[in-house]
Amino acid sequence: MTNRKKTPSWYTINKSLTIQLKQLGNCMSTFKSITKEEWIAKIQKERKGADPSGILHRKTLDGFFLDILHTTAEPANISFPDSSRWIKCQEYGMFTPQALNQCLLRDLQGGCDGALIRLDSGLASGEAFVGDGTSLWNVDGWDQALDGVYLEGMPLHIESGSAAFCVGATLLAWQMERKVSNVQIHYGLDPLGAFAQSGIRLESMSALYQKGKEFYEWVQPLQPESRIFRVSSEPYHMAGACRTRELSIILATIAEYLRHLEISPQELSKQLTLYLPMGRDIFENIAVLRSIRMLYSHMFDACGVKATPYIHAKTSQRMLSIYDPWVNMLRSTTAGFSAAVGKADSISISPYDARLATDTELGARVARNTHHLLSDECHLDQLFDPGLGSYYIENYTHTLSEKAWEAFQTIESRGGLYAMLRKRSVRALLEEDWRQRKKRIVTGKMSIIGCNLYPQPEEKPVISLANTADETRRQSEYYFARGASPTIGGSTLPSIIPLFHEGLTTNELMDGIFFYKKKVIPPLPVHYDAEPFEKLRALPSQPIPLLKIGSEAQWSARAQFAEQFLCSGGIACSHHILPFEDNLHSILECSKNVDSAVICICGPDGYYTDNLISSLRSYGKVLVVGRPSERAVQPWKYMYRGCNMVELLQSILSETT
């Protein structure tokens, strides 16, 4: 009989591991404690004596400074959800119900366990379809979209803007017809957010609040796991808001609902879903999610209620670009990672081609599998609060919370969010935020790969548009086949829901119960980070000559910079290499053969002589690659890192086309 090695028991393994960890702790306790002064001295030494103070602080887009180097940090008192696992909740805006159904089933089979359905915004005003969401305008549409979907096993988020009440009623009618129960639906009623986004007020705000209260009282006993109200910073985020502004507006919206919905703070805290877009900055995203949890708890603490928010984080559309869309994979992964670290309850990650609206299977698969990489490979769903104790994150969280609370108090002192929306004060603040953000983008301080950095000149993106004509025709045929619409005898849910079984549509319900329908304020604008360069590249352009003066070592770096600079505005350049010897004669000879209103010269600063610039003026406007300098003869423009790229590119385009 052979002797087998005895497998050590769990007790033995555990005891051995405990001893090793204790020994490791003893070793770590012998490490010397490093002071902040010693860190600074070390940094200064590595930088060969240069003053390190300039790199030890960071100015955020919110306008405050953050210390990069810390030695102490007070942990934030944050209320997190019970589970560290997030719901993999993808966003859908496919135009037809059939296309939506195919994508839903594909992603659910691929491991997703939630969905956010964005509906066509044309339903909000009862007008023609726009094509920016799914056309679910009757019970049959919901039946087609959710065919084969086990709704009881997945949370469903609805994004329908001003039509949220009517869409919710349609969905309730479908559930009653299909006898669906025990569901978790986020219906998305957000009167203030819809008003800010569209500028349309369907009825008096008091009447809208009353409808929201009625919807809550009718649905909550039937679906205790569902949430009725939505508070989203996305409309303000897309208008250019900084993070402090977004958080303060969320708090101001909650304050308005606490005052006017006539629902107890205890109940309202369980009915709110917070929607926050995640951008390109990992630390900023983490701080935002931790900060809103602190602020939310602080606000409800003032009402005598212990509350933990439900947060749905979605990758920002603002940071995506139609040029070089493959880079959007990295942006979305960064946003998804920070949302997971910030412990969002549910996360939706946009496909890399979301702005192109192509809805490719590859885009959906990459977005879906990003969730699995973050959870199954990075194990971020097993961590409670990864940011806890990080000096930089803790400081960022506290500072952001303080600034957001101050901004919220300012909104309240001016009469509340609705009053500021009516006076267009919020719009003015958002325009200033966007101006500051755009300034960093057009000067290249905020890099956008594929747009203002490493652009691809051969790209010609095509945005796919939904066929709204077919859906409009199908709706007309439906009305003709059905005949007269059911008469709306009242505006209460018990009287409305049976009418959907008689063929009522969401559009008709909007027209039947909302008589006001007036555009009170202009809708909030929508801005994308890459927008300034996308507009330039859509314009016609002519190539300009790039004269490279001297040896390759002398012009190489500047020539590469100039080529990328011009390409970011859709301008090609023809290359001409000219040796420095007898450079004036050769440059002038070359310029004679070039048919362009602008001539770009690239080389060492010492080669940009007054004689050269004055001689070139007779052939076109002289564009010099380099920083402005004192000289007797000034060129037309300078091209350098940090200049306003968009203004210079616009000037070149206006001269050459």
Side-chain angles (χ1 to χ4, degrees):
M1 182 175 180
T2 57
N3 293 326
R4 294 185 178 179
K5 187 175 180 180
K6 186 178 180 182
T7 304
S9 65
W10 169 247
Y11 173 79
T12 306
I13 296 174
N14 190 35
K15 184 177 180 181
S16 175
L17 182 60
T18 303
I19 294 173
Q20 292 177 26
L21 289 175
K22 185 176 180 180
Q23 292 173 346
L24 179 61
N26 292 335
C27 292
M28 294 181 66
S29 64
T30 62
F31 290 161
K32 179 185 176 183
S33 178
I34 307 297
T35 64
K36 185 175 182 178
E37 290 71 21
E38 289 175 312
W39 273 114
I40 293 176
K42 176 68 174 175
I43 296 171
Q44 191 170 11
K45 180 181 178 182
E46 294 294 330
R47 301 186 76 227
K48 298 180 180 179
D51 183 12
S53 58
I55 63 172
L56 296 179
H57 307 279
R58 176 199 170 195
K59 186 178 182 181
T60 68
L61 285 172
D62 298 81
F64 56 81
F65 286 89
L66 287 173
D67 290 332
I68 304 299
L69 185 61
H70 300 271
T71 54
T72 58
E74 180 183 351
N77 184 17
I78 303 175
S79 177
F80 284 100
D82 295 334
S83 174
S84 60
R85 177 183 173 274
W86 70 89
I87 296 170
K88 303 176 181 68
C89 182
Q90 288 304 90
E91 181 176 352
Y92 303 93
M94 294 74 190
F95 190 56
T96 65
Q98 296 85 352
L100 171 62
N101 180 256
Q102 292 176 3
C103 294
L104 271 172
L105 295 177
R106 177 195 63 201
D107 287 346
L108 291 173
Q109 291 172 358
C112 288
D113 49 7
L116 189 157
I117 299 177
R118 187 179 68 251
L119 271 71
D120 188 274
S121 61
L123 298 176
S125 55
E127 298 173 355
F129 295 101
V130 178
D132 58 350
T134 311
S135 58
L136 299 178
W137 42 270
N138 62 359
V139 174
D140 291 341
W142 282 105
D143 207 25
Q144 296 169 17
L146 299 178
D147 183 31
V149 176
Y150 182 61
L151 195 60
E152 293 89 337
M154 55 171 278
L156 179 63
H157 296 250
I158 307 299
E159 188 175 305
S160 49
S162 302
F165 179 84
C166 299
V167 170
T170 316
L171 182 55
L172 281 173
W174 175 81
Q175 293 176 62
M176 294 177 67
E177 184 176 287
R178 294 301 178 191
K179 296 181 173 55
V180 177
S181 59
N182 299 323
V183 294
Q184 183 182 346
I185 299 178
H186 299 253
Y187 285 95
L189 271 66
D190 185 9
L192 268 181
F195 174 63
Q197 189 170 19
S198 66
I200 298 173
R201 201 177 71 193
L202 301 176
E203 215 169 2
S204 67
M205 291 304 295
S206 59
L208 290 176
Y209 289 138
Q210 186 60 38
K211 280 187 170 58
K213 179 186 177 184
E214 178 200 354
F215 197 94
Y216 157 73
E217 291 176 341
W218 207 80
V219 175
Q220 202 276 333
L222 302 175
Q223 302 173 7
E225 297 299 319
S226 293
R227 290 176 178 259
I228 309 301
F229 301 103
R230 161 194 175 104
V231 179
S232 173
S233 66
E234 187 173 27
Y236 312 97
H237 175 86
M238 294 303 298
C242 63
R243 289 308 205 174
T244 299
R245 193 86 57 212
E246 288 183 45
L247 295 180
S248 64
I249 288 176
I250 286 179
L251 296 176
T253 304
I254 296 173
E256 292 275 6
Y257 292 167
L258 281 168
R259 282 192 290 264
H260 300 296
L261 276 174
E262 298 180 7
I263 299 174
S264 69
Q266 180 70 43
E267 291 300 317
L268 184 61
S269 67
K270 300 176 183 177
Q271 296 299 319
L272 292 175
T273 305
L274 308 185
Y275 288 76
L276 284 96
M278 297 287 100
R280 56 165 66 206
D281 191 320
I282 291 178
F283 295 108
E284 179 184 80
N285 293 334
I286 297 171
V288 164
L289 291 173
R290 301 173 89 246
S291 178
I292 192 58
R293 289 192 178 277
M294 287 178 60
L295 295 168
Y296 187 92
S297 299
H298 184 57
M299 172 170 278
F300 280 96
D301 279 344
C303 302
V305 175
K306 296 295 182 183
T308 300
Y310 183 104
I311 299 177
H312 177 82
K314 52 193 302 188
T315 52
S316 168
Q317 296 295 304
R318 182 172 73 180
M319 67 178 178
L320 302 183
S321 170
I322 61 174
Y323 287 97
D324 205 355
W326 308 102
V327 184
N328 291 335
M329 293 185 190
L330 304 178
R331 299 184 181 111
S332 295
T333 301
T334 297
F337 169 82
S338 51
V341 173
K343 309 317 296 176
D345 296 85
S346 56
I347 302 172
S348 58
I349 297 176
S350 298
Y352 69 87
D353 53 356
R355 284 198 58 202
L356 297 174
T358 51
D359 298 326
T360 60
E361 186 173 352
L362 176 62
R365 183 183 177 208
V366 170
R368 181 177 68 241
N369 287 342
T370 302
H371 285 284
H372 303 320
L373 287 170
L374 296 174
S375 60
D376 301 342
E377 295 194 23
C378 299
H379 302 293
L380 294 180
D381 58 345
Q382 299 179 17
L383 301 175
F384 178 69
D385 180 14
L388 181 65
S390 166
Y391 299 139
Y392 184 71
I393 293 177
E394 295 286 7
N395 186 39
Y396 206 157
T397 301
H398 284 291
T399 307
L400 192 61
S401 300
E402 292 171 1
K403 298 294 183 182
W405 190 260
E406 291 173 6
F408 161 62
Q409 290 177 318
T410 301
I411 294 174
E412 290 294 286
S413 67
R414 295 182 182 178
L417 182 60
Y418 179 65
M420 288 190 67
L421 286 170
R422 287 294 306 271
K423 296 174 184 176
R424 306 186 187 182
S425 302
V426 173
R427 187 184 184 91
L429 294 172
L430 297 177
E431 287 174 352
E432 176 60 22
D433 287 346
W434 170 242
R435 190 184 69 81
Q436 294 294 335
R437 185 176 186 85
K438 184 179 178 181
K439 183 178 178 181
R440 293 175 65 91
I441 294 170
V442 300
T443 56
K445 291 181 180 179
M446 182 182 291
S447 300
I448 305 174
I449 305 297
C451 289
N452 64 359
L453 188 65
Y454 308 127
Q456 300 293 325
E458 67 279 1
E459 277 193 292
K460 301 293 180 184
V462 178
I463 298 177
S464 177
L465 300 177
N467 190 346
T468 57
D470 285 351
E471 190 66 14
T472 303
R473 183 174 61 253
R474 190 171 76 87
Q475 189 182 67
S476 300
E477 292 171 353
Y478 173 84
Y479 288 150
F480 180 80
R482 185 200 60 192
S485 64
T487 302
I488 300 174
S491 60
T492 62
L493 281 173
S495 64
I496 290 172
I497 289 180
L499 300 181
F500 284 105
H501 303 303
E502 301 176 24
L504 183 71
T505 68
T506 307
N507 309 59
E508 293 169 328
L509 180 60
M510 290 285 292
D511 293 333
I513 65 174
F514 293 116
F515 306 103
Y516 189 73
K517 256 185 223 174
K518 179 181 178 182
K519 182 167 283 190
V520 180
I521 59 174
L524 290 179
V526 174
H527 296 299
Y528 298 96
D529 288 346
E531 170 187 305
F533 297 95
E534 291 173 353
K535 288 181 177 179
L536 286 176
R537 292 181 70 171
L539 299 174
S541 64
Q542 296 292 330
I544 67 172
L546 179 62
L547 309 185
K548 305 174 182 177
I549 307 172
S551 64
E552 183 175 357
Q554 292 174 315
W555 52 252
S556 177
R558 282 187 169 179
Q560 184 180 14
F561 166 74
E563 185 177 16
Q564 288 191 14
F565 191 109
L566 294 169
C567 184
S568 64
I571 303 172
C573 56
S574 57
H575 298 265
H576 304 272
I577 302 176
L578 304 169
F580 181 63
E581 294 77 12
D582 195 24
N583 72 319
L584 180 58
H585 175 73
S586 58
I587 291 172
L588 294 179
E589 286 297 319
C590 179
S591 302
K592 290 179 183 178
N593 303 322
V594 171
D595 183 18
S596 175
V598 177
I599 299 174
C600 183
I601 58 175
C602 174
D605 290 334
Y607 291 3
Y608 300 148
T609 63
D610 293 342
N611 190 20
L612 172 63
I613 294 174
S614 60
S615 301
L616 283 174
R617 281 178 171 177
S618 59
Y619 301 101
K621 296 185 180 297
V622 182
L623 174 62
V624 169
V625 182
R627 291 190 171 274
S629 60
E630 295 291 335
R631 63 177 75 247
V633 181
Q634 287 289 336
W636 173 61
K637 298 282 186 182
Y638 287 96
M639 180 194 297
Y640 57 94
R641 195 176 304 279
C643 72
N644 191 315
M645 298 177 66
V646 172
E647 285 186 2
L648 179 54
L649 290 168
Q650 286 174 336
S651 299
I652 297 172
L653 287 170
S654 64
E655 293 291 337
T656 56
T657 55

